[in-house]
Amino acid sequence: MVKYQEVAKKIKQMIYQKQLSKGTQLDNIDGLINQYQVSRSTIVKALNCLERQGVIYQVQGSGIFVRERKKRGYLNFLQSHGFTVDLEDVYGSSTVFNVDIIKPSAKVKENLQCDDNEEVYFVKRLRYVEDKLYGLEQSYYRKKLICYLNKEIVENSIFSYIQENYNINIGFSDKYFQVIKLDAETANCLELQIDDPALSVEETFYTSSGEPFDFSTITYHYENAKFCIQNHSK
Amino acid sequence: MVKYQEVAKKIKQMIYQKQLSKGTQLDNIDGLINQYQVSRSTIVKALNCLERQGVIYQVQGSGIFVRERKKRGYLNFLQSHGFTVDLEDVYGSSTVFNVDIIKPSAKVKENLQCDDNEEVYFVKRLRYVEDKLYGLEQSYYRKKLICYLNKEIVENSIFSYIQENYNINIGFSDKYFQVIKLDAETANCLELQIDDPALSVEETFYTSSGEPFDFSTITYHYENAKFCIQNHSK
DNA sequence: GAGTGGTCTAGACCACAAC
DNA sequence: TTGTGGTCTAGACCACTCC
């Protein structure tokens, strides 16, 4: 891990460990330079990271302050899948229905930019967070990139498996979502009624070199799944 | 506007103007330094901005590439309210029900961190995007900060009015959302049926100095409102 | 090995806030 | 006026990709 990330991590840990409440002013930049023995630019970069994560806010001419922490029980919508989750981790698990190798449908093929005849892994699983049924996930992974999957792997975090075994890192993703009425099959999986509401999220994940490797649809349980985004305008 | 923002803007305009397709490689950093006559750090900062906006992606050791543009018909969920909207602007309008000065409820009071006896503007309006009914918005503004509002102002963009007249800039926001079933009153406003699905978003907006000034609830029309987030992991 | 983006530095100067 | 964060620079070196 590089210096600015180390510094950011330490400042964040300090804030959470001391349980600093919102609005609390941190040491100024010169102070932080002294404390962490790095250059001004490195401190500034670390602070900007924390600002983007919603941990602090900076006011020119005034100081650096602690931001309100996300309320408990809400999932961070920007890192719900494979993006940096850190301290405030929640316990998640899965019930796997199937792990099959199939020919992709036209839609999947397009989203994953598959060649003709290319095959994909199809994984269908129920996702739980802290033992509550959160959603039904249907994912397609390009076999070309993710050579092997099985039920055991898929019960845990697919993303960390991929990262460790294939040295594939997530670079970015496109996320499209809307509210829908449940069809009979999905309602049954989620233990809900037909026409009950749900959030349907379609997301394509790309490696850090820009290659799509995963297309997933998650249908979230409307009573159990709540989300949060801590935005900032900079 | 500062240099790195100028550079970012120009690069973005160039991409959209030339209609560069996804995966197209841009000039390298040294080339961009030459082209825009700024330092390396300024170019890097501009590129990181564009990366965060989902316009490009950078691959270490390889190059800078154009990212796929958001599909039409989807609202950018991260800048749906007052955050930097630029080129790809869509036409929005509002039907205003009322602009009242009221005593805030406990919930509103807490979210806006109001003093006792402080009053707020309550604005209720239907939001349209390209003449489609998108959602019902109920907003509360602290009168202490936004001294005056009327129907005419509220029919247009409240945020630009606030920025121009009170020199208040949005710093950040906390956004909490979930899927719900509509109650009778809201369903009626949205021209939908009771128990139809909807996305309910509660958002608190803070000034750049960290003071809350607006608490809004938007209930989105499940057929007309679709969203997009172009995420990235850096 | 050549070419690319990513990090880090020291230092100057600017913009804004608070007193 | 002083103190704060924000920008910008020139230059060094590191990490990764691709030939």
Side-chain angles (χ1 to χ4, degrees):
Chain A
M1 198 181 279
V2 292
K3 276 192 189 178
Y4 78 87
Q5 289 172 327
E6 290 283 5
V7 172
K9 193 175 158 187
K10 282 177 187 167
I11 294 174
K12 194 174 182 175
Q13 281 174 340
M14 184 273 291
I15 290 170
Y16 291 158
Q17 199 183 327
K18 289 193 183 172
Q19 300 187 37
L20 300 183
S21 59
K22 72 172 162 182
T24 305
Q25 184 162 5
L26 298 187
D27 204 357
N28 67 19
I29 294 186
D30 284 337
L32 295 170
I33 291 171
N34 254 300
Q35 198 173 333
Y36 295 105
Q37 291 293 310
V38 295
S39 75
R40 184 183 168 88
S41 311
T42 302
I43 293 290
V44 167
K45 194 161 186 186
L47 292 174
N48 288 339
C49 284
L50 294 177
E51 194 165 39
R52 257 177 269 125
Q53 290 171 40
V55 178
I56 59 163
Y57 60 95
Q58 300 179 80
V59 185
Q60 191 172 68
S62 182
I64 305 157
F65 305 88
V66 176
R67 196 164 154 186
E68 183 164 36
R69 206 166 163 185
K70 168 173 82 61
K71 293 176 197 157
R72 276 195 64 80
Y74 292 82
L75 224 60
N76 186 327
F77 197 61
L78 298 181
Q79 58 189 37
S80 53
H81 227 95
F83 292 92
T84 42
V85 186
D86 33 10
L87 304 170
E88 45 193 338
D89 236 322
V90 282
Y91 169 72
S93 60
S94 305
T95 302
V96 179
F97 288 121
N98 59 279
V99 181
D100 298 327
I101 296 172
I102 63 165
K103 286 260 172 198
S105 67
K107 182 174 183 175
V108 172
K109 194 175 161 185
E110 192 197 330
N111 276 286
L112 291 178
Q113 298 169 39
C114 290
D115 296 327
D116 287 345
N117 304 317
E118 198 181 320
E119 290 182 319
V120 297
Y121 270 104
F122 170 48
V123 177
K124 186 171 171 178
R125 51 182 187 168
L126 286 174
R127 308 299 308 261
Y128 296 84
V129 173
E130 305 201 323
D131 297 325
K132 279 205 300 189
L133 179 50
Y134 252 64
L136 172 69
E137 181 190 78
Q138 300 183 77
S139 298
Y140 304 86
Y141 300 88
R142 295 176 76 180
K143 197 166 174 308
K144 196 178 174 181
L145 296 169
I146 320 299
C147 311
Y148 181 71
L149 281 180
N150 65 29
K151 205 175 168 202
E152 196 194 339
I153 294 165
V154 159
E155 274 168 351
N156 300 294
S157 167
I158 301 184
F159 278 76
S160 44
Y161 162 79
I162 290 172
Q163 196 174 346
E164 284 158 23
N165 291 273
Y166 299 104
N167 205 28
I168 289 175
N169 287 293
I170 307 177
F172 51 92
S173 77
D174 290 334
K175 200 168 194 154
Y176 291 89
F177 56 103
Q178 60 189 301
V179 171
I180 57 162
K181 289 184 180 177
L182 287 175
D183 59 40
E185 192 190 335
T186 312
N188 188 42
C189 287
L190 289 174
E191 299 165 14
L192 290 170
Q193 302 302 313
I194 191 168
D195 284 344
D196 268 350
L199 187 69
S200 171
V201 181
E202 289 185 354
E203 190 162 10
T204 306
F205 295 90
Y206 298 78
T207 67
S208 51
S209 61
E211 218 172 357
F213 70 96
D214 171 17
F215 174 71
S216 292
T217 304
I218 306 188
T219 309
Y220 286 99
H221 190 295
Y222 81 105
E223 287 172 321
N224 296 344
K226 297 171 167 189
F227 305 95
C228 176
I229 291 177
Q230 292 192 286
N231 221 340
H232 77 111
S233 63
K234 277 183 200 164
Chain B
M1 199 182 278
V2 291
K3 277 192 187 179
Y4 77 89
Q5 289 172 326
E6 289 283 5
V7 172
K9 192 175 159 187
K10 282 178 187 166
I11 293 173
K12 194 175 184 175
Q13 280 174 340
M14 184 274 290
I15 291 170
Y16 291 156
Q17 199 182 327
K18 290 193 182 173
Q19 300 187 36
L20 300 183
S21 59
K22 73 171 161 182
T24 306
Q25 185 162 7
L26 298 188
D27 203 357
N28 66 21
I29 293 185
D30 284 338
L32 295 170
I33 290 171
N34 254 299
Q35 199 173 331
Y36 295 104
Q37 292 294 310
V38 295
S39 75
R40 184 183 168 89
S41 311
T42 302
I43 293 290
V44 168
K45 194 162 185 184
L47 293 173
N48 288 338
C49 284
L50 294 176
E51 195 165 40
R52 257 177 269 124
Q53 289 172 41
V55 178
I56 59 163
Y57 61 94
Q58 300 179 80
V59 185
Q60 189 170 69
S62 181
I64 305 157
F65 305 88
V66 175
R67 196 163 153 187
E68 183 163 37
R69 206 168 163 184
K70 169 172 82 61
K71 293 176 197 156
R72 276 194 64 79
Y74 292 82
L75 224 60
N76 187 325
F77 196 61
L78 298 183
Q79 58 190 39
S80 52
H81 227 94
F83 292 92
T84 42
V85 186
D86 33 12
L87 303 171
E88 46 193 336
D89 236 324
V90 281
Y91 169 70
S93 59
S94 306
T95 303
V96 179
F97 289 120
N98 59 278
V99 181
D100 298 328
I101 295 173
I102 63 166
K103 286 261 171 197
S105 68
K107 183 175 184 177
V108 171
K109 194 175 160 185
E110 191 197 331
N111 276 286
L112 290 179
Q113 298 168 40
C114 291
D115 295 325
D116 287 345
N117 303 318
E118 199 182 320
E119 289 182 320
V120 297
Y121 269 105
F122 170 48
V123 177
K124 186 171 173 179
R125 52 182 186 170
L126 286 173
R127 309 299 308 260
Y128 296 83
V129 174
E130 304 199 325
D131 296 325
K132 280 205 299 190
L133 177 51
Y134 253 64
L136 172 68
E137 181 190 77
Q138 300 184 76
S139 298
Y140 303 87
Y141 301 88
R142 295 175 77 180
K143 197 165 175 307
K144 194 178 173 181
L145 296 169
I146 320 300
C147 311
Y148 182 70
L149 282 180
N150 65 29
K151 206 176 167 201
E152 197 194 337
I153 294 167
V154 159
E155 273 168 352
N156 300 296
S157 166
I158 301 183
F159 278 75
S160 44
Y161 162 78
I162 290 172
Q163 197 174 346
E164 284 158 23
N165 292 274
Y166 300 104
N167 205 28
I168 289 175
N169 287 293
I170 307 178
F172 51 92
S173 77
D174 290 334
K175 201 170 195 154
Y176 290 90
F177 57 102
Q178 60 188 300
V179 171
I180 58 162
K181 288 183 180 176
L182 287 175
D183 59 40
E185 192 190 334
T186 313
N188 188 43
C189 288
L190 290 174
E191 299 165 16
L192 290 170
Q193 302 303 312
I194 191 168
D195 284 344
D196 269 350
L199 187 68
S200 171
V201 181
E202 289 186 354
E203 190 162 9
T204 306
F205 295 91
Y206 298 77
T207 67
S208 51
S209 61
E211 219 172 356
F213 70 96
D214 170 17
F215 174 71
S216 292
T217 303
I218 305 188
T219 308
Y220 286 100
H221 190 294
Y222 80 106
E223 286 171 322
N224 295 345
K226 297 171 167 189
F227 306 94
C228 175
I229 291 177
Q230 293 193 285
N231 221 340
H232 77 112
S233 64
K234 277 182 200 163

